[in-house]
């Protein structure tokens, strides 16, 4: 039998398999699980345990941003304009969200 705490986590956490690597994406605000209004602008942390990641990445997710506010890109499919896999995974839950790496270089 599964413990109630495992069925209903107190904090938002997602186990991810991105590009064949396992990682965890989590938040520290429990209201993100119960109050949809908290999904406007919030923080998530990303950790994959790989050597290239020196510290846990703090990502700011904005679900109400507009595509015209982003920097213009010629072709989103070209290698120079592609998005990190982590951002694409986040957009599977929050379509159209912008992700800020808060000064950290996207490494994944």
């Amino acid at each position: 039998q599964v413990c109630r705490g495992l069925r209903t986590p107190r904090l938002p956490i997602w186990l991810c398999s991105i590009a064949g690597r396992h990682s965890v994406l989590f938040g520290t605000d429990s209201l993100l699980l119960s109050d949809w209004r908290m999904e406007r602008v919030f923080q998530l942390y990303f950790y994959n345990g790989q050597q290239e990641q020196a510290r846990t990445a703090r990502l700011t997710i904005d679900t109400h941003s507009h595509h015209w506010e982003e920097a213009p890109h010629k072709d989103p499919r070209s290698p120079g304009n592609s998005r990190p896999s982590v951002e694409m995974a986040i957009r599977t839950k929050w379509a159209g969200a912008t992700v800020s790496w808060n000064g950290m270089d996207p490494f994944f």
Side-chain angles (χ1 to χ4, degrees), residues 12 15 37 58 63 73 105:
L15 300 176
R37 292 172 291 199
R58 182 177 56 89
T63 61
H73 298 292
D105 289 329

Side-chain angles (χ1 to χ4, degrees), residues 39-59:
E39 291 187 12
R40 166 76 169 87
V41 176
F42 55 95
Q43 306 286 315
L44 289 180
Y45 297 88
F46 177 73
Y47 181 74
N48 68 359
Q50 301 298 318
Q51 290 180 343
E52 67 267 15
Q53 184 177 5
R55 60 187 170 92
T56 302
R58 182 177 56 89
L59 309 174

Side-chain angles (χ1 to χ4, degrees), residues 91-107:
R91 288 187 181 117
T92 63
K93 175 146 177 68
W94 296 284
T98 58
V99 179
S100 169
W101 287 74
N102 297 308
M104 183 179 226
D105 289 329
F107 55 86

